[in-house]
Every structure is written in structure tokens, then in C-alpha cells.
Amino acid sequence: MEGITLELVGLQLFTGLALGAVYVLLAVGLSLIFGMLTIVNFAHGAFFMVGAYAGYALYQVEPNFWLCLVLVPLVVGALGMAVERVLVRPLYGRGIDYPLLLTFGLAYVMVELVRIAFGKQGLPVDTPELLQGSADILIGQFPLYRLFVIGVTAAVLFGLWLFIEKTSFGLIVRAGARDPQIVRILGVDIAKVWLIVFGLGTGIAGLAGFLSAPMQGISPEMGGPVLTVAFVVTVVGGMGSLVGAIVAGVLVGVVESLAVLLFPEAAKVSMFVIMAVVLLVRPQGLFGRPGLMS
């Protein structure tokens, strides 16, 4: 193809990594909740959107990007914990459909509340001054903020790995994901574990929304498209698999980014093609366990 150089392809790969970083954060939060609670959280995109608006609102009060970076996941995680405690918990044991329908309706409520509070029109979000401009990555100049997003995602994933693999609470989370009944027999308050996991998953979604805001702006409807992507990534990686969410998020982001450059007409459907191929070859996803949804 004319005008396409190796440097341009390399830069597009990095763009895909930055896009994939946001997808990874979304899918990791979704997989964490499903893996532990067996809940398909249809409000996950709405928590992503709330994270973006929470960051915007906090920045109006205290224009400190770094403070907002810390506070947003805590605020959205606290909201997620309240939702789990008040709305989701009474539906445990009633089948997967009840929480699905609840979170589906909750997503619409959250969108309408944001429209009432901030208006229907989208809002631009400035890139923090320290992260404006570009950096030389040998193959060309690449936006500094997107490199920052990749770095934050890597740090979050490393912290999550330490939390799950190296702490006693993480051991309980892993055991509870495999057999909640055994955890109960051992005297662990499984309801408390579910509460924290739901808050952690939604907090990570909120962080993803906050990080994506300078790259795309914010709007009440921004959670809808990313929810679709999050489910595609989660299905491709394997429902409930954190490793699968990471691999599939990067894969979808890179393929989508390269498709924009090489086959623009196919960019929007590229992730669905990946999902179809994976499901045909390996129905449980790349890293999923057979029969998890049965």
C-alpha cells in the first residue's frame, strides 16, 4: 500500500497498545467480578463513564490531575461497593439472569443521572500539562500521554497480580472463584470478599474512564461502546480469566489500530472477527475454563 512505511506501522502498533491498555483495564475489572461472583455486570460501561465524569468534577474543585488519578478509582469503587451491597447482593443464588437484568437497568439510570447533572452534550478534557507533547520512541514521535496510559495500566496490572498472588486476601479470592462453598466452610465471610471484589472491579473501570477522557472527551453515552468492547475482550480471553483479559485486550487494541491504517472499512468489525474465530476454534476463549457458563 502506498504511503505506508514500517515506521508508520510501528507507531500504529503503539497506538494499539494505548487503546488496548484501556480495553485491558475494562476487561480485567469485568473478568474479576465474573470470576468471583459469576455476575455479568452490564453496568460496567456506566462505571467507566462515571469514572470519567468523576475525574472531570473533581478537577473542577481541585485542579490536580495526580490527586484525581488516585481519588477517581476510590470514589467509583465505593459506588460499586454500595451497588453490590444494596442492589446486587439480594439477588445472589437466583440465577445469572437476575443480576444481569438489574445491572442492565442500572446502567440506564446512571446515564440519565449524569445527563441531569452535566447535560447531554459531550465535554472536552484537556491533557495534563506535564503529559502534553510527544516523546521519541526511536521509530518516531508518539504522544506522551498515551505512553503514560500504557505505563499506568502496566503498574495497575502488576499491583493486581501482587494483590491476588501474594496476599492472604488474594488467596481467598482465588479459592472463592473456584469454590465459594469451601471458603464458607473455612469460616471466611464470603459476602465481604464479594463486596471488595465488586468494588475493585468497578474501581478499575472508573480508572479506565478517567484515563481515556483526555484521549476522547467525555459524554453520558461513552460507556455503551466500551461495554461492547469489554465483553468482546472478555469472551475472547475467556470469561473470568484475568490473563485472558490482558492478552485479548492488547490483541483487540492492536488489531483494531492496524485495521484503521491498513483496512479502514474493516476497523469497526475487526474485533468481532477475532471473537468469531476464537469461539470457533476454542469456545471457552483463549484462557477460559470449559463449562464455566453452564
Side-chain angles (χ1 to χ4, degrees), residues 21-33 44 204-205 208 226 229-235 240-242 244-246 248-249:
V22 175
Y23 292 169
V24 166
L25 290 177
L26 270 166
V28 161
L30 195 63
S31 293
L32 194 64
I33 291 171
H44 206 67
I204 293 173
V226 297
V229 176
F231 275 116
V232 169
V233 171
T234 304
V235 169
S241 170
L242 297 183
I246 296 168

Side-chain angles (χ1 to χ4, degrees), residues 39 81 83-94 102 189-196:
I39 288 177
M81 292 172 78
V83 166
E84 191 278 339
R85 180 66 185 86
V86 176
L87 299 176
V88 178
R89 187 174 299 183
L91 300 179
Y92 290 151
R94 298 192 186 183
L102 170 73
D189 185 356
I190 195 68
K192 182 180 178 182
V193 176
W194 286 339
L195 179 70
I196 294 173

Side-chain angles (χ1 to χ4, degrees), residues 178-197:
R178 292 183 176 276
D179 195 336
Q181 203 63 37
I182 292 295
V183 176
R184 279 199 190 94
I185 292 172
L186 294 174
V188 175
D189 185 356
I190 195 68
K192 182 180 178 182
V193 176
W194 286 339
L195 179 70
I196 294 173
V197 168

Side-chain angles (χ1 to χ4, degrees), residues 134-172:
S134 59
D136 187 355
I137 56 171
L138 300 180
I139 57 174
Q141 296 291 317
F142 191 75
L144 190 58
Y145 183 75
R146 298 196 176 205
L147 288 174
F148 171 75
V149 170
I150 295 171
V152 169
T153 300
V156 169
L157 293 177
F158 180 67
L160 189 62
W161 176 80
L162 287 177
F163 174 71
I164 292 177
E165 296 291 334
K166 303 297 182 180
T167 67
S168 56
F169 188 85
L171 177 62
I172 294 171

Side-chain angles (χ1 to χ4, degrees), residues 7 16 25 41 60 67 82 97-98 130-131 163 166 185 187 190 199-200 212 232 236 256 290 293:
E7 288 78 8
L25 290 177
N41 181 19
Q60 305 309 306
L67 179 62
D97 295 343
Y98 287 90
L130 187 64
L131 297 173
F163 174 71
K166 303 297 182 180
I185 292 172
I190 195 68
L200 184 60
S212 71
V232 169
V236 169
E256 185 178 329
M293 290 293 290

